[in-house]
Structures are given as structure tokens and as C-alpha cells.
Amino acid sequence: MENPARAVANLIARLGKPSTAEMRQALVAHLRGVLEEGHASAKDLLAGPRNGLACAERISATMDGIIACLHIAASEHFYQAVNPSQSERIAVVAVGGYGRGTLAPGSDVDLLFLFPHKQTAWGESVVEAMLYPLWDLKLKVGHSVRSIDDCMREARADMTIRTALLEARFLIGDRSLFDEMVRRFGAEVVEGTAPAFTEAKLAERETRVRRAGTSRYLVEPNVKDGKGGLRDLNTLFWIAKYAYRVDDVSELVAAGLFDRKELVMFQRSEEFLWRVRCWMHFITGRAEERLSFDLQRQVAAAIGYAGRSGQAPVERFMKAYFLVAKDVGDLTAIVCAALEARQQKPRASLSRLLGSFAKRKRVRALGHPDFTLKSQRLNVIDDNAFRRDPVNLLRLYEIASRDDIAIHPDTSRLVTQSLRLVTAQLRHDPEANRIFLEILTGRRSPEPVLRRMNESGLLGRFIPDFGRVVAMMQFNMYHHYTVDEHLIRSIGVLAEIDAGVLEIEHPLANEIMPTVANRRALYVALFLHDIAKGRIEDHSIAGAKIARKLCPRLGLSEAQTETVAWLVEHHLDMSTVAQSRDLGDPKTIETFAATVQTLERLKLLLILTVADIKAVGPGVWNGWKGQLLRTLYYETEIVLAGGYSVIERKARVEKKQDALKEQLADWPETERNAYLARHYPPYWIKTDLARQEKHARFLRQAESEGRTTATAVETDQFRGITELTILAPDHPRLLAIVTGACAAAGGNIADAQIFTTTDGLVLDTISISRAFDRDDDELRRAERIAAAIERALKGEIKIADLVAQRRAPPPRGQTFQLAPEVIIDNVLSARHTVLEVSGLDRPGLLYDLTTAIGKLNLNIASAHIATFGEKAVDVFYVTDLTAAKIVSTARQLTIRRALLDVFAFDHDKPAAAKAKAPARA
């Protein structure tokens, strides 16, 4: 941009003798062009040299020029002070992020209008003349008008204002006024208050991080305010600047806070985060700070990432992002340690003497001469401790885990600097592997220790296959964390089950955990279950190969190694069967039991599955999934114990019928027997006694009222679902009507059990996910859905029209590319053909699928609905109208084509559709 004074003069010369209004209008038009040109040149710096910091600095410099033009126009042309008094002086100051000299395209412009004393009428006019054009330019301006005394008073009282002034930068106006403010700020506010400022900023960071997400490995991170984001770097520099009185980050090396390598890490992290943030603002056209799935693919393409070795470009980009976030975490620890050491005060001599005796006693208890305590934290005796014995790298974390001691940040820093000592020799050292296994399977929660090992870089260096998944994200809405963070969190869940603290939430896992014989194998298998993610080969199979290679190194026996490998290879089986198979079908249980083979494996797989699902992210685990897993466990346990013959099954039905007869003792004998005869054997096997009694009384009441169509609702907080029971005359499109009514009313179906009575009625149990925590709110919602279902079944409303109103695809619909798959299987069930349909989820999908199945003249016996983020997996047990399986190849092709068409939009039918065996992920 040309010299601001010359730019304003040239503008006036071109206009001749403009009025104030004409001048303002011309000025805004000119500055709009300057702003657009500045943004365009900044974007070129992103696309060409790929320098995010240079882009942010260019936008800031453009803004400096705009502010200077406005000040000159306001103070020298609009409101020129002919003979200014001492009070008619003003300094325009950039504060906050703008004060650092960096702005993203959508950032706020924070300005301080500084006066020597109270604001004058002239000053008020100048400020307004500057602000109105900025607002006309559609800029978000944060401004304050203060005297120097105001600044001092408010900075002492408010940490936010103090922080903003810490980064104050002179733009234009009276320089001496600004210099006086800076001098007094240092003397009256900063001097002697570094500890209080540091404490306040770190507490503020904790609050901010808690709000944005406590893990730096969330797969949709907040680039500005999230853990490991730009605000963390800002906070580090604020604290360092305040405590060390430096003006530039490069001065922190001379101050002794960073070494050269750490300074480069800071600068590299800052540039990368600015590059990502600026692209996000340019792409969205607004101040978007959350790196959502929608944006990740676009930012990865803009930066220039390409796919490589089984990883998509977006996954490689996000891995780079998370590694930078980890570096920011390391820098945070370094600064905190330095400030802690700086602020420590020596105690009085007697207490110091007594303290030294106590300390020597605690140090002896550590059990190794290379370790000591510093500030009540575990430290090495000197900087050569790891070089003398590389096993000390692992021993450090073993002692920390065993004695529950925090590791001194200086020592964590030394671990990172000593990673070159982790050689093949150390990886195969029996003592090193013994220690690692002890850490992994320790009775104290191993999760925080493993996380510390991971953040120092040691975990990925000692277990190279784990190193490959560090900071690796999976581009889907199901997984909330990176792969390494998920694995560590799953170990934390297992440790809680092991300690017996999750009895209420996971009663079965809690009950069987003390009975497992292979506790070590379980911990190792859980640690390795996703370790082969991101490879071309199926991660379960590849993970089992890694387990067979790694377990002997860790000291596991041949039998333990085989158990670990089996668990890793089959870690998805129990979840898949529980959520997408008919657990009342004997063939389902027999097939699963044939895979598991032993009761010990069944126990291990159940606990591993619980920990795996629970660690995926908040809200993924719910009581409904727990109920399905418990049902599968108990049913499989019977088969493994030698049960489930046809005779035994008949006896189970009779036993259940007898139990219900006892519950219905208030009914006449003839009525009881007639009711028992109305249900086929699968009903008695699948339905528990409490629900059978509710069904019996529900049917009796409906018939006494002369109704063939009726509904009942019930909430279940523990399972996290609400049950709708529906009675209606049987016809093929019944489930389509029910699912349509649920979709129209906003009900998310988790499962559907369909039972046909011998007298031609259908008794459906529909489980929908809860929307409210309070039962009364949830019941009102469920009753609205039930009323809509009844009206639809009676033909009073047209379901297709109601569903169409909710048909708009979700905002992220185009973000994920997921080809639909249809599997038709006649082996999984003895009586039914199993249709497994998977594809991109959307409102009304289940209605569309059940409508298509109804039009194909298929009867649905049961439906099992699962959603994994953006992916829907819906399984239907069906027969034709003669209750036979679908065996004709031509008929199967027709079914497959009709179901695939459900996923095809009008503009691309039938592109991208494919039908093949599913690749489990």
C-alpha cells in the first residue's frame, strides 16, 4: 500500500473540493479496494511460499495502512485541530491479536484509542470518524477509548485487559503518549506480578481447553482455542514476555527458556497453525475456528497434501496437525517448568534441614540411584542418567506409575532429547520389556503414564508400530480421537473395570473381570487392537501379525501370544454380531460360539469390546449397546456349556410360558392358555419375562377397548433408549409406516423386533434413542411419536409427505464419500434371509429402505439398526410372502438393485453403487 498520507492527499486531489460525505464515501471505496488487494496478496503467500505467518502479517500490515489512512483523514481533514491543546492528542494502538502484528482474514481488529486525560469532543469526533468507515468495510472492530490512568487502573483489575495491553503496538498518532503508557504499564502493573499473571493465564487456559475439548487429539479440533492450538502458543509467549520482559520470541533463547531446537519448534508450529487458520477463513469466508470434517478435506487440498501408503490426503494432513499440537504441548511443559523453578523460594534454614532428611528418605524409597526428587517430582540425578543406562528411560515411568509421582518437566524434556538411545538393542532388552509390560498392566491406572510416555515420544520409539499410529486420525464422524489417543483411553477404561469402579455402568464386565485367567493378554490385546490402522491390509488381520511378532518380545508365553493375536483379529466380532444380528436366532449364537470356542475367550472379548466402544468418544457407549452385548454373552455362554439343542430349546420355551402363567395368576386359566398359544417359539426365546407380562396386559387392554391398533411407550434410562410397543394388523409395509412416523417426528431408531401372532396381528417393539435426560420430557416426546404412528397406521396422515419435509441431507452429507453396499446372506440364519445394507446415513434412510423392502413383497422378521458416525449399517431378517428364504439369484439381484437405488441421488443414479463383501473397519 502506498504511503497513507499521500494516498489521502491523492484521493482529495482527484475529488477536487469534496463535501465531508463525498470524502467519506470515496475513502471507504478506496479502502475496500486496498483491503481486497491485501487479502489477495496474503492468499498468494499461502498458495505460493505456503507461509501462514507471512499471510497473517500481510493482512495485519494492510490493516495498519487502512487505520493510518483513516486517522490522517479524520485528524487532518475532517476534524483538524488548528491549535491543539495538551488534551487534544491521540495515539491509535493495536492490542490483542492485532497487537502481535498478525491477523487472519476474519479476525477481529482490536483498537485502543489512547488519550492523555479525559476524552474531549475533538477526540470523540476523530474516533467516530475512524470507526464508521471500518464498520462500512464490514470489519469486526473491538475498540476501547481510555486515558493512560484508565489503562493502569483497569489493567490492574482485569487480566484480560492486562493481556491486551501487554501486546500493545503503536500504529499512528502521538508516539510519546504511547511510550508513556508502555513505561507506566511496566512499572505499575507488570513489576512484581509475574507469578500472579502466570497462575491466572494457566487457569484461564484450563477453562478454555475444557470448553473446547480437553484432548488435543479430538478429530475436529478448534485451531484457535483448542488444546495445542494458536491460543496455547499465545499464552506461552504472554507468560514468557511478562516474566522475562522480552519483546520477541527469538529472545527466549538468550533468556534461557528455549534452546535453538525448541525455538524452531515454536516458530514452525506457529507458522503451520496460522497457515491452517488462514485457509479456513478464506475457504469459509468467515472467522471459522473449528477444523470440521467439511473443512479438513478442503484445507488438505489447499495446502497440497497427497495420499500415500493407505492414507488419504486429509488423514496425512490431520496427522501433521496433531503432531504440531503435540509439539505445542511439549513447549507448554517447558515454559511451566522454567517458571516453576524461577518462582521457588528457599525455605528457612531449620525447615530446610528437616526437609532434606525427609527428602533423602523418599529418594531411597525410589529404589534406584539414578533417580531423585526435585520439587516433589521425579527427576534424574544428572543429565547422563539415560546415557549411562538407556533402560532408565522406561524405569522413570515405572517408578512414576508405581509410586504415583509426577515427573519433573525437565526430565520429560530430557527423555525427548534422548530418544536416539532407543535402539534395537534396547527394544529387545528383557528388562526394558519387563518394565514396559509392568507399566501397561499395572494395578494403578496405566493411562496417564502411557500418555506421558506417548507425549515424550518414547512410546512410539519403543514400540515402532505404535509410532506409526501416533497422531493418526480416521476421516469419519464415528471416531472422536486419534488412533493413539483411542488406544490409551481404552486402556484407561479397562483399568477402571479392573479396579471395580464401573460396576453400575458395566455390571457384567465388572463381574467377570476378576475371573479371567489371561489378564496380561487382555491388556496387551487392547493396547494393540487398532495398532495396524492406516495400512492397506485389514487392520484386524495386520494387527494380529504384529501381535505374534511383538508379544514374545514383551515376554508373553506362546499361549498368551496366541490369545492376544486372536483377540486383535476378532476384536470387532462381538460388537458387530450384537448390534447387527438377530440374537434370538439360534444360528446367530451357534455361529458366534464356533468363532469364540472357549468361555475364557468369550470373557476376554466382552471386556475388550466394552473398553473399545467406551473409548471411541463421549456419547458412543450407551446402555442399549450394553444390553445387546450382555444378551449375546449369556446366550453364547449357554452354547459353550453344551446347551441349545432342539430339545433344550423346547424346554426353555415351556419354562418361560410357565413363568408367565404365574405372573398372570389373576387371569382365568382358559384365557391364559389361549394367550400362550398366540405366540410362536421365537417370541418366548427372545423376550424376557417382564416384557412378556407387559405385552400380555397391553394386548388384553387393547382388545377390551375394541382396538386392533394401539401403542404403548416406556423409558429405560439404564439402556439409554425409549421403547415403543405397537399392535396392528399384519401387512408388509407396516415397518415402513412405523419408521416413517419415527423419522417425521425426529425419532432415531436403534432396534426393531417384529413378532407375528398366530391370529394375524403384529406386535412390534421399537427402540429409539433417548433425546432428553428427564423421563417426563422423554415420555412426552415418545407419546407424540406413538400418536403419529397410530394416525399413520389408520391412514389419517400420509407418511411419505411428512418424511419428505425432513429429507434435506445433513450439512456434512457431501463431506464423506461412502459407496453403499448390500449383502444378501442365507447362511447366517436357519429360517431367514439376512439383508445387510450399509451406506451414508441421512434423515429418513430407514423409512426409504423399509419402503423398498415392502414394495419387494418381503416380510421383515427383525431389523437391527446401527450408526457409526456418518455410516449407517441396517440389517433386516426377511422372508418372502410364503415365509421362505430368498434363494433365487434373479430375485436377489432385484433386491440388491432396489436397495442400492435408495442411496442414489437423482443426479447420479446409479453411480458409485457397489455390492460386495464388506471391508470391516
Side-chain angles (χ1 to χ4, degrees):
M1 180 179 175
E2 63 180 317
N3 178 278
R6 192 181 305 121
V8 173
N10 290 342
L11 191 63
I12 293 170
R14 282 202 305 273
L15 292 170
K17 291 185 177 179
S19 66
T20 301
E22 287 173 335
M23 175 64 183
R24 280 180 176 153
Q25 195 174 357
L27 186 62
V28 169
H30 170 71
L31 293 180
R32 184 172 286 114
V34 169
L35 186 62
E36 288 171 0
E37 190 181 311
H39 276 207
S41 66
K43 194 171 182 179
D44 288 342
L45 288 171
L46 273 184
R50 295 183 180 177
N51 191 318
L53 198 55
C55 171
E57 288 168 347
R58 176 66 58 85
I59 294 172
S60 178
T62 301
M63 193 57 60
D64 290 355
I66 290 171
I67 300 294
C69 280
L70 289 172
H71 178 266
I72 290 164
S75 62
E76 296 180 16
H77 297 280
F78 297 148
Y79 302 104
Q80 185 175 11
V82 180
N83 190 17
S85 66
Q86 270 296 104
S87 296
E88 289 176 325
R89 292 184 297 144
I90 183 173
V92 185
V93 181
V95 292
Y98 183 29
R100 286 190 296 277
T102 50
L103 285 177
S107 291
D108 293 0
V109 179
D110 295 324
L111 295 172
L112 166 64
F113 296 98
L114 186 65
F115 291 89
H117 309 295
K118 197 173 180 183
Q119 187 182 10
T120 63
W122 171 84
E124 189 175 337
S125 299
V126 169
V127 170
E128 284 185 4
M130 292 182 67
L131 287 174
Y132 278 109
L134 290 173
W135 292 329
D136 288 342
L137 291 169
K138 302 291 188 290
L139 293 169
K140 288 181 289 182
V141 183
H143 75 283
S144 55
V145 180
R146 297 191 183 103
S147 68
I148 295 177
D149 286 340
D150 292 338
C151 289
M152 298 308 107
R153 183 176 60 255
E154 294 185 34
R156 281 192 292 266
D158 189 316
M159 281 292 176
T160 304
I161 294 172
R162 192 184 305 189
T163 307
L165 291 178
L166 182 66
E167 299 202 286
R169 180 170 60 90
F170 178 75
L171 292 176
I172 195 166
D174 193 311
R175 180 79 200 211
S176 63
L177 201 57
F178 173 77
D179 290 341
E180 175 65 9
M181 190 272 288
V182 171
R183 185 192 66 75
R184 286 186 58 186
F185 180 73
E188 298 176 24
V189 179
V190 176
E191 190 65 45
T193 60
F197 181 81
T198 301
E199 190 177 332
K201 285 290 112 182
L202 291 177
E204 183 185 290
R205 174 185 178 270
E206 286 303 314
T207 304
R208 169 174 49 79
V209 163
R210 202 177 304 118
R211 196 166 53 241
T214 52
S215 174
R216 68 174 61 95
Y217 304 114
L218 287 168
V219 293
E220 288 189 301
N222 187 309
V223 175
K224 180 185 174 186
D225 290 326
K227 195 171 185 178
L230 269 170
R231 185 67 82 218
D232 272 3
L233 282 180
N234 298 154
T235 302
L236 293 189
F237 185 57
W238 291 334
I239 292 171
K241 185 174 185 177
Y242 204 98
Y244 291 86
R245 308 298 285 271
V246 296
D247 293 318
D248 188 83
V249 70
S250 59
E251 297 173 49
L252 294 176
V253 175
L257 187 62
F258 289 160
D259 61 25
R260 283 274 164 212
K261 193 183 290 185
E262 289 156 353
L263 174 63
V264 170
M265 185 193 291
F266 185 101
Q267 292 169 329
R268 189 179 63 234
S269 300
E270 186 179 30
E271 185 282 317
F272 181 85
L273 291 171
W274 270 113
R275 197 177 351 151
V276 173
R277 188 182 181 210
C278 287
W279 271 123
M280 288 166 66
H281 285 207
F282 276 128
I283 289 167
T284 60
R286 63 179 185 273
E288 180 59 65
E289 310 298 356
R290 184 163 159 267
L291 189 50
S292 62
F293 289 119
D294 310 59
L295 274 173
Q296 287 170 14
R297 197 188 293 275
Q298 297 174 72
V299 174
I303 293 178
Y305 279 87
R308 192 179 299 164
S309 61
Q311 278 194 286
V314 66
E315 291 173 334
R316 290 191 62 235
F317 158 59
M318 290 306 294
K319 177 161 186 168
Y321 176 88
F322 290 121
L323 288 173
V324 165
K326 177 183 172 299
D327 287 344
V328 173
D330 293 344
L331 292 169
T332 304
I334 289 165
V335 170
C336 290
L339 291 168
E340 183 183 277
R342 181 187 175 95
Q343 291 167 19
Q344 276 178 353
K345 296 176 183 175
R347 290 175 292 181
S349 57
L350 180 60
S351 62
R352 192 157 65 237
L353 181 65
L354 293 172
S356 67
F357 283 129
K359 180 183 175 182
R360 280 201 294 272
K361 188 175 179 182
R362 288 196 302 274
V363 168
R364 280 198 301 274
L366 296 177
H368 198 281
D370 281 334
F371 297 98
T372 186
L373 292 173
K374 181 180 177 183
S375 308
Q376 308 301 314
R377 295 178 182 186
L378 187 58
N379 205 347
V380 284
I381 204 79
D382 58 46
D383 287 354
N384 293 316
F386 298 138
R387 203 175 296 115
R388 272 195 306 275
D389 183 2
V391 176
N392 279 339
L393 285 163
L394 289 121
R395 202 170 276 129
L396 169 76
Y397 293 95
E398 181 192 28
I399 295 169
S401 175
R402 183 193 68 205
D403 297 348
D404 195 22
I405 307 173
I407 296 170
H408 197 281
D410 286 347
T411 308
S412 294
R413 188 180 187 181
L414 185 61
V415 170
T416 303
Q417 293 167 350
S418 305
L419 291 177
R420 66 186 180 281
L421 299 172
V422 183
T423 60
Q425 184 179 347
L426 179 65
R427 290 189 197 104
H428 289 88
D429 183 286
E431 177 65 5
N433 283 285
R434 182 200 66 76
I435 290 171
F436 175 72
L437 195 58
E438 203 60 48
I439 291 168
L440 178 62
T441 62
R443 292 289 176 182
R444 284 188 182 274
S445 178
E447 180 185 358
V449 181
L450 289 171
R451 187 169 288 111
R452 284 183 218 151
M453 289 178 73
N454 191 33
E455 296 195 343
S456 70
L458 178 62
L459 188 53
R461 192 63 70 95
F462 188 69
I463 310 287
D465 287 301
F466 187 90
R468 287 183 63 169
V469 297
V470 167
M472 179 187 287
M473 66 91 66
Q474 298 158 80
F475 191 65
N476 58 54
M477 287 166 57
Y478 180 61
H479 295 92
H480 293 233
Y481 305 107
T482 55
V483 178
D484 56 326
E485 178 69 3
H486 165 67
L487 291 175
I488 291 169
R489 282 176 178 258
S490 66
I491 292 293
V493 176
L494 176 56
E496 287 182 312
I497 294 170
D498 201 1
V501 298
L502 297 179
E503 183 178 1
I504 295 172
E505 197 173 354
H506 305 295
L508 179 57
N510 185 81
E511 178 189 328
I512 64 176
M513 183 70 202
T515 70
V516 299
N518 284 300
R519 179 180 173 277
R520 279 193 164 190
L522 176 58
Y523 272 88
V524 174
L526 190 59
F527 178 69
L528 299 179
H529 76 273
D530 276 348
I531 204 165
K533 279 283 177 82
R535 304 185 190 214
I536 296 168
E537 188 179 6
D538 181 283
H539 79 280
S540 300
I541 295 167
K545 292 175 184 174
I546 291 169
R548 287 189 175 94
K549 194 169 62 179
L550 181 64
C551 290
R553 193 194 106 185
L554 294 177
L556 269 64
S557 68
E558 192 176 331
Q560 288 174 322
T561 298
E562 199 47 48
T563 298
V564 171
W566 184 88
L567 285 169
V568 172
E569 186 170 342
H570 295 275
H571 74 269
L572 292 171
D573 287 11
M574 195 164 195
S575 172
T576 301
V577 172
Q579 293 183 70
S580 60
R581 297 289 178 262
D582 185 347
L583 303 183
D585 189 321
K587 191 70 180 289
T588 299
I589 307 303
E590 286 163 11
T591 304
F592 180 67
T595 301
V596 175
Q597 296 184 342
T598 70
L599 187 56
E600 174 70 7
R601 277 184 177 178
L602 179 64
K603 291 177 183 178
L604 295 171
L605 191 56
L606 173 93
I607 298 167
L608 184 145
T609 303
V610 170
D612 184 15
I613 297 173
K614 187 90 181 287
V616 166
V620 174
W621 174 267
N622 56 41
W624 172 245
K625 289 175 184 173
Q627 179 65 37
L628 292 174
L629 289 170
R630 285 190 294 276
T631 301
L632 178 56
Y633 177 89
Y634 289 132
E635 293 294 309
T636 308
E637 188 181 34
I638 293 169
V639 175
L640 293 174
Y644 252 177
S645 64
V646 175
I647 297 170
E648 195 270 343
R649 183 177 169 84
K650 187 179 178 184
R652 284 176 71 199
V653 169
E654 289 172 356
K655 188 177 178 183
K656 288 202 169 194
Q657 289 176 333
D658 290 342
L660 181 62
K661 282 176 81 171
E662 285 182 29
Q663 295 300 113
L664 302 177
D666 54 319
W667 288 22
E669 178 75 18
T670 53
E671 190 178 354
R672 276 188 292 175
N673 290 333
Y675 179 79
L676 297 181
R678 292 177 75 173
H679 292 292
Y680 294 106
Y683 173 81
W684 301 105
I685 297 295
K686 292 180 184 180
T687 314
D688 62 52
L689 179 60
R691 195 170 281 102
Q692 287 171 7
E693 184 183 354
K694 285 173 188 170
H695 286 169
R697 299 190 186 280
F698 169 61
L699 261 72
R700 191 190 201 199
Q701 183 182 345
E703 287 171 355
S704 69
E705 295 169 358
R707 294 191 296 157
T708 54
T709 300
T711 57
V713 299
E714 183 183 9
T715 62
D716 188 329
Q717 264 195 331
F718 179 68
R719 290 192 297 155
I721 55 108
T722 295
E723 271 191 1
L724 305 179
T725 305
I726 301 153
L727 178 69
D730 189 17
H731 67 85
R733 292 200 63 243
L734 178 65
L735 188 59
I737 293 169
V738 171
T739 57
C742 285
N748 181 33
I749 296 177
D751 197 75
Q753 287 287 351
I754 297 103
F755 297 110
T756 307
T757 63
T758 55
D759 52 352
L761 294 176
V762 168
L763 188 64
D764 287 359
T765 302
I766 308 295
S767 302
I768 59 173
S769 302
R770 285 181 72 102
F772 298 99
D773 291 330
R774 289 170 56 94
D775 271 354
D776 50 354
D777 292 335
E778 181 64 20
L779 278 171
R780 276 194 293 273
R781 168 179 171 264
E783 282 161 1
R784 281 198 304 271
I785 296 173
I789 290 171
E790 281 200 53
R791 291 181 65 202
L793 290 172
K794 292 172 183 174
E796 294 173 9
I797 53 175
K798 289 192 72 175
I799 285 297
D801 295 342
L802 292 177
V803 175
Q805 293 170 14
R806 300 179 63 92
R807 181 69 67 199
R812 296 179 184 175
Q814 300 305 310
T815 303
F816 300 97
Q817 308 300 316
L818 190 63
E821 296 175 346
V822 175
I823 297 117
I824 300 175
D825 193 300
N826 277 315
V827 176
L828 289 171
S829 173
R831 299 178 59 201
H832 304 101
T833 294
V834 179
L835 307 179
E836 180 173 315
V837 187
S838 62
L840 202 60
D841 196 17
R842 66 167 191 266
L845 173 63
L846 187 56
Y847 166 74
D848 292 339
L849 290 172
T850 49
T851 299
I853 291 170
K855 288 177 179 176
L856 290 163
N857 292 321
L858 298 175
N859 273 326
I860 300 175
S862 68
H864 309 276
I865 318 304
T867 307
F868 303 94
E870 77 285 357
K871 182 179 182 180
V873 181
D874 298 339
V875 177
F876 305 94
Y877 281 62
V878 301
T879 61
D880 63 18
L881 296 181
T882 64
K885 284 186 176 185
I886 318 307
V887 292
S888 158
T889 305
R891 183 98 162 92
Q892 288 182 5
L893 283 171
T894 303
I895 293 169
R896 180 177 281 113
R897 201 175 302 116
L899 295 178
L900 287 173
D901 277 349
V902 168
F903 291 92
F905 292 105
D906 291 337
H907 63 270
D908 64 359
K909 285 186 180 182
K914 62 176 180 175
K916 63 181 185 65
R920 295 290 180 202

